[in-house]
Amino acid sequence: MRAWEMHPLCCLAAGEWPASGAARDDRSPPPEGSGEAPAVAGVLYKWTNIGKGWRPRWFAIRGGVLAYSKIRRRVAAAPPRPASEAAGGVRLIGVARGAGERPIGFVPLKMSSFSESKSDDKRFYIITPTKTLQLRTGCAKDRATWIEALVTARSEYSFNGDLSGDQNVASFSTEKLRNRLHVEGVGEAVIKDCEQIIQSEFSQYQTQMKQRCEEYLSFIGSLPREVEVVNSVDSTVPEKSQLELFKHDCSSSGKCSEYSNTESSDDVGKQEISELSDGDDFHFYDTRQSFSEFTTTPADLRKGCVNTGNEDHKSVESLTVDEAEKYMLSHPKRRSQLPEPIEKEKGVSLWSMIKDNVGKDLTRVCLPVYFNEPLSSLQKCFEELEYSYLLDRAYECGLRGNGLMRIIYVAAFAVSGYASTDSRPCKPFNPLLGETYEADYPEKGIRFFSEKVSHHPMVMACHCEGKGWKFWGDSNLKSKFWGQSIRLDPNGVLTLEFDDGETFQWSKVTTTINNLILGRVYCHHHGTMNISGNRRYSCKLTFKEQSFLDRNPRQVQGVVNDADGSKVATLMGKWDESMHYIINNDASKTNSHGSHEGSGATLLWEKNEPPVNPTRYNLSTFAITLNELTPELKEKLPPTDSRLRPDQRHLENGEYEKANAEKLRLETRQRMARKMQESGWKPRWFQRDSEDGTYRYVGGYWEAREQRTWVGCNDIFGNLSSSPKLPPSGLNTSSSI
């Protein structure tokens, strides 16, 4: 019997692979002693990531495998030599700069397809089952030469479905078996029967092995088509919002170049990778592929390839260059930390301030910025929408006819707004009258706007648009000071309206801030929140009041009732951790003092992880992005936006002396202009739907932003001496800071 030495990857004869022997790791270069020099080599520019962009890499085709490596700095700095000076029989394409370092990746050309870019005559793609290499040459002629060389190398080392050698020759000897049977005294007829049985079994085994090898070869030959299937599935999986975000310049059925094996569009390369969280960064890594032994059947492998397109979320790592440019234009990367402070902050004792100002008019006392965080109350309103994806899920549940899960997600959203208040020792800046704040977060699918609409009483109104829903409301806090603590009772209604007409309304619960003078400042929320809807379901959430003896504080318990008053679901959790729910279960079966997993509860919402770079303000990762001001954004903002407030900006930059001076100036200005509200001042973007009703957004802000025409928006943060004299109805004034 002739023994075949098979390559462990795909049952190929070892002589047909560039490096014979055992399978190697993809990051290891071929053995130096293999004796096979690269047939084609040269420098190509490879797309690495958004930060580094295109980087030169040394590419070499050797034995049906394309290897690439980084270029040594001393080589890259050397003067280039023309391709005509190639030595050793190596064909160089373009301008050669010398060999690269140790290869960092290998691409088997047999399992690859190639596609030219329609928008750039120097760019082309190499598509494999696991990745897409985006490459660029120095000129259009070099691109055509490279693709021709790749196609040629692939065809030369292609598998035609026939195994090397004569498949019908399967000779083996039964001489030893015959001699052994003669020794045992077995007759000649029986010996012949044994030989026929062995030959028949071996023939069947040989047929099975041949079929399996042909199946593997057929699978490997179809891998370029599997790549096409993955790309086509990926292009249909994203939701409507994702499709609008990742639109291609050309149709997905567009014809590719004559060298391409795929019918996908020009900008190919979406691949199956891990899901992207709200806090992930965007990178395009140098792709590295590792080859391992096939331990599954080709059918399983095909199933795995096709399933790679069924993920709900696609990371921007899989974007092509054109899509990455579009994404970065509409999705600026948010910052992950605050600027380093310029000055060293000095601690201030609130108790010493109270003693120093005994007998003075406290309305004229300016508290130092030490007690503030670099956010305004308008920005805090938007911070409560950090988990807006819960409303997206609620909208989707309603579209599927699941009204119960819709109100459960709405209840989770109402609780999640309190998660950011945990361990926040500093207070936000009180906005000036007429101050505004906008937040355009296309990556979350929301657009938010808020304005301070009244000074006495202090009222802030907001409006937010999401994926299939709108959210609006106003807030008026009534405070009671008890010496060591302060109690804040919100007065206002929050309204959520879905595009299908279903609405929900609720009011916020009471907040108590403790240890204002002595001890560690902390807050807790308590009271009852009733979420009422205009259809079948309503929800009642109870925020448990904290006590000294309570070992498990911050509890939230909720019940969902239908129109008949019957309980259909139970919610439980903590407002600073997570929420769970149980449908159609008795609340007595739930464990309100421990883990909810044992009670069969399902996780509904969980608080995000804290930032990697914490601050003394304990801002969340989302809150760190709220006051970010880029030059491009500054040109679009009205002069009333909170990001332009000087004392808040100085505090964020760590310029505490300037921040205190600006804070005092703005307070002085608001005292001089306080009477303007009594003279008929009205908000610019909101109006009340009734005398005691909710402030509603009247529209026009985003249109004015697009046109950069801010009529009626005055510079409320500037100096009074430099501001034009306006009639009482047109001047924006400020509130107490």
Side-chain angles (χ1 to χ4, degrees):
M1 176 180 179
R2 179 178 299 176
W4 289 90
E5 182 182 2
M6 296 294 182
H7 192 278
L9 176 61
C10 53
C11 299
L12 307 178
E16 294 185 19
W17 199 256
S20 61
R24 68 179 187 274
D25 183 74
D26 71 305
R27 287 167 287 187
S28 300
E32 296 180 358
S34 60
E36 186 174 5
V40 180
V43 175
L44 289 173
Y45 290 88
K46 179 179 177 293
W47 177 258
T48 55
N49 55 54
I50 294 177
K52 295 182 178 180
W54 297 95
R55 293 289 178 176
R57 298 287 184 262
W58 179 261
F59 283 79
I61 301 176
R62 177 188 290 109
V65 175
L66 176 67
Y68 59 93
S69 58
K70 295 182 178 180
I71 299 177
R72 294 189 295 268
R73 292 186 178 180
R74 62 179 182 273
V75 175
R81 54 191 176 92
S84 59
E85 297 181 11
V90 180
R91 178 188 175 192
L92 298 179
I93 299 178
V95 177
R97 294 183 179 271
E101 299 177 345
R102 181 185 181 90
I104 60 175
F106 295 88
V107 179
L109 298 180
K110 173 55 190 174
M111 295 182 286
S112 304
S113 60
F114 319 113
S115 175
E116 295 176 336
S117 173
K118 296 180 180 179
S119 60
D120 188 347
D121 60 358
K122 293 180 288 186
R123 189 190 307 169
F124 67 97
Y125 309 101
I126 300 179
I127 308 139
T128 72
T130 59
K131 63 185 177 183
T132 295
L133 268 67
Q134 306 178 47
L135 305 174
R136 194 181 67 187
T137 60
C139 61
K141 181 180 178 181
D142 287 347
R143 183 181 76 168
T145 306
W146 265 107
I147 293 181
E148 180 183 0
L150 292 170
V151 173
T152 302
R154 182 179 62 182
S155 60
E156 289 178 354
Y157 287 87
S158 293
F159 309 114
N160 54 13
D162 297 330
L163 299 179
S164 300
D166 188 357
Q167 295 298 315
N168 297 322
V169 177
S171 60
F172 61 94
S173 174
T174 59
E175 187 66 26
K176 293 183 179 180
L177 175 62
R178 173 179 291 273
N179 294 337
R180 184 72 177 88
L181 293 177
H182 276 302
V183 172
E184 296 294 333
V186 180
E188 186 67 22
V190 177
I191 293 177
K192 290 183 178 181
D193 289 341
C194 291
E195 288 179 336
Q196 291 179 358
I197 292 174
I198 293 175
Q199 291 176 355
S200 176
E201 291 294 332
F202 178 76
S203 177
Q204 293 180 8
Y205 175 75
Q206 182 191 24
T207 302
Q208 293 175 1
M209 292 300 298
K210 180 180 179 180
Q211 292 176 352
R212 186 170 183 181
C213 290
E214 291 176 349
E215 191 176 3
Y216 274 117
L217 295 176
S218 175
F219 165 68
I220 294 174
S222 67
L223 279 178
R225 294 189 297 273
E226 298 291 353
V227 178
E228 175 187 352
V229 173
V230 172
N231 292 332
S232 63
V233 173
D234 284 347
S235 64
T236 59
V237 167
E239 300 174 353
K240 181 179 179 181
S241 59
Q242 293 174 312
L243 290 175
E244 293 176 353
L245 174 63
F246 301 133
K247 285 181 180 177
H248 287 176
D249 292 335
C250 55
S251 172
S252 60
S253 60
K255 185 179 179 181
C256 289
S257 69
E258 58 181 334
Y259 306 105
S260 176
N261 285 11
T262 175
E263 296 179 358
S264 60
S265 66
D266 168 47
D267 293 326
V268 294
K270 290 187 178 180
Q271 312 145 18
E272 185 276 337
I273 47 180
S274 59
E275 294 185 358
L276 178 65
S277 63
D278 290 341
D280 288 337
D281 293 330
F282 309 145
H283 297 285
F284 285 77
Y285 297 97
D286 272 352
T287 50
R288 296 182 179 181
Q289 178 180 2
S290 76
F291 300 122
S292 57
E293 295 185 3
F294 284 114
T295 57
T296 57
T297 65
D300 295 334
L301 293 173
R302 285 193 183 95
K303 182 178 179 181
C305 287
V306 175
N307 286 342
T308 58
N310 293 333
E311 296 293 334
D312 292 334
H313 302 284
K314 298 295 176 184
S315 169
V316 293
E317 293 175 6
S318 61
L319 296 180
T320 60
V321 180
D322 293 340
E323 290 172 341
E325 293 172 353
K326 296 178 184 178
Y327 188 89
M328 292 305 296
L329 289 176
S330 59
H331 292 67
K333 183 178 179 181
R334 310 290 178 180
R335 65 181 182 182
S336 59
Q337 62 183 20
L338 296 179
E340 290 294 330
I342 298 176
E343 304 172 4
K344 184 177 181 181
E345 189 174 21
K346 299 179 181 179
V348 179
S349 171
L350 179 61
W351 178 243
S352 63
M353 285 198 59
I354 295 177
K355 291 191 299 180
D356 294 340
N357 291 280
V358 172
K360 297 182 181 180
D361 184 2
L362 294 182
T363 61
R364 295 181 177 273
V365 175
C366 179
L367 292 177
V369 295
Y370 176 81
F371 299 104
N372 291 98
E373 62 182 11
L375 293 175
S376 72
S377 295
L378 297 175
Q379 293 167 315
K380 286 281 290 183
C381 292
F382 178 61
E383 189 177 0
E384 297 181 7
L385 286 151
E386 177 178 358
Y387 304 95
S388 61
Y389 69 87
L390 295 170
L391 298 182
D392 299 339
R393 295 180 181 177
Y395 174 67
E396 295 169 359
C397 290
L399 292 181
R400 295 193 294 265
N402 193 342
L404 177 58
M405 284 306 303
R406 169 174 281 190
I407 193 172
I408 287 177
Y409 275 116
V410 171
F413 169 77
V415 176
S416 68
Y418 294 96
S420 61
T421 62
D422 181 32
S423 301
R424 296 281 281 272
C426 300
K427 65 181 291 291
F429 284 87
N430 288 339
L432 310 183
L433 187 62
E435 184 175 334
T436 62
Y437 176 73
E438 70 161 59
D440 188 9
Y441 279 61
E443 65 270 31
K444 298 173 72 68
I446 58 177
R447 194 166 63 171
F448 173 90
F449 178 73
S450 59
E451 180 183 12
K452 182 173 180 179
V453 295
S454 174
H455 174 60
H456 289 295
M458 190 183 80
V459 180
M460 294 173 293
C462 68
H463 179 87
C464 184
E465 300 175 357
K467 302 175 183 178
W469 53 267
K470 294 180 181 179
F471 174 80
W472 70 85
D474 54 32
S475 176
N476 173 23
L477 291 178
K478 295 183 178 180
S479 60
K480 294 181 180 179
F481 182 65
W482 300 99
Q484 180 72 345
S485 64
I486 186 172
R487 175 178 171 139
L488 304 175
D489 294 311
N491 183 17
V493 178
L494 303 177
T495 303
L496 173 66
E497 180 181 10
F498 292 99
D499 287 354
D500 57 10
E502 186 170 11
T503 61
F504 296 94
Q505 289 186 327
W506 66 91
S507 297
K508 306 189 73 173
V509 298
T510 301
T511 298
T512 301
I513 304 175
N514 302 277
N515 296 340
L516 291 177
I517 299 178
L518 298 175
R520 177 178 174 270
V521 178
Y522 71 95
C523 72
H524 69 276
H525 312 285
H526 52 91
T528 302
M529 178 185 293
N530 292 302
I531 304 177
S532 58
N534 63 344
R535 293 187 181 174
R536 183 177 178 184
Y537 298 104
S538 62
C539 179
K540 180 180 179 181
L541 295 171
T542 301
F543 289 69
K544 186 177 180 182
E545 188 168 4
Q546 186 172 341
S547 64
F548 291 103
L549 301 179
D550 193 355
R551 296 184 178 180
N552 198 19
R554 306 180 178 183
Q555 289 287 321
V556 179
Q557 299 289 332
V559 176
V560 178
N561 297 321
D562 59 13
D564 300 329
S566 302
K567 184 179 64 176
V568 293
T570 303
L571 295 92
M572 72 290 294
K574 292 184 177 183
W575 54 261
D576 65 328
E577 288 185 1
S578 62
M579 289 294 294
H580 295 71
Y581 74 95
I582 297 178
I583 296 180
N584 240 356
N585 206 330
D586 192 348
S588 61
K589 296 180 181 180
T590 63
N591 181 10
S592 61
H593 298 284
S595 175
H596 303 293
E597 284 76 4
S599 61
T602 304
L603 179 64
L604 185 63
W605 159 78
E606 189 172 22
K607 182 181 178 181
N608 291 332
E609 293 293 329
V612 179
N613 305 297
T615 66
R616 85 165 182 91
Y617 310 108
N618 282 331
L619 300 180
S620 64
T621 303
F622 181 65
I624 289 176
T625 67
L626 300 185
N627 200 48
E628 183 178 11
L629 182 62
T630 61
E632 296 80 8
L633 179 60
K634 187 176 182 179
E635 296 177 356
K636 303 177 182 179
L637 294 177
T640 56
D641 195 273
S642 297
R643 297 178 181 88
L644 304 177
R645 180 167 175 160
D647 53 352
Q648 184 174 308
R649 182 61 55 187
H650 287 313
L651 175 61
E652 181 182 280
N653 294 333
E655 300 172 299
Y656 306 109
E657 294 297 331
K658 292 182 179 180
N660 283 318
E662 287 293 333
K663 190 170 185 287
L664 178 61
R665 181 183 66 83
L666 292 177
E667 288 192 358
T668 303
R669 169 172 177 155
Q670 82 84 23
R671 283 193 290 267
M672 296 175 61
R674 179 175 295 179
K675 295 181 180 180
M676 302 306 296
Q677 182 182 1
E678 301 174 359
S679 302
W681 181 93
K682 292 183 179 180
R684 174 67 179 83
W685 307 105
F686 289 84
Q687 69 178 16
R688 240 174 182 163
D689 51 14
S690 63
E691 184 176 351
D692 297 325
T694 302
Y695 281 91
R696 295 290 300 271
Y697 174 60
V698 297
Y701 176 83
W702 299 105
E703 292 77 9
R705 183 182 189 269
E706 185 71 20
Q707 299 174 3
R708 312 283 178 88
T709 55
W710 300 111
V711 178
C713 298
N714 304 295
D715 184 9
I716 62 175
F717 305 125
N719 295 317
L720 279 176
S721 57
S722 61
S723 301
K725 188 174 182 179
L726 298 173
S729 60
L731 179 62
N732 288 329
T733 60
S734 61
S735 67
S736 179
I737 310 301

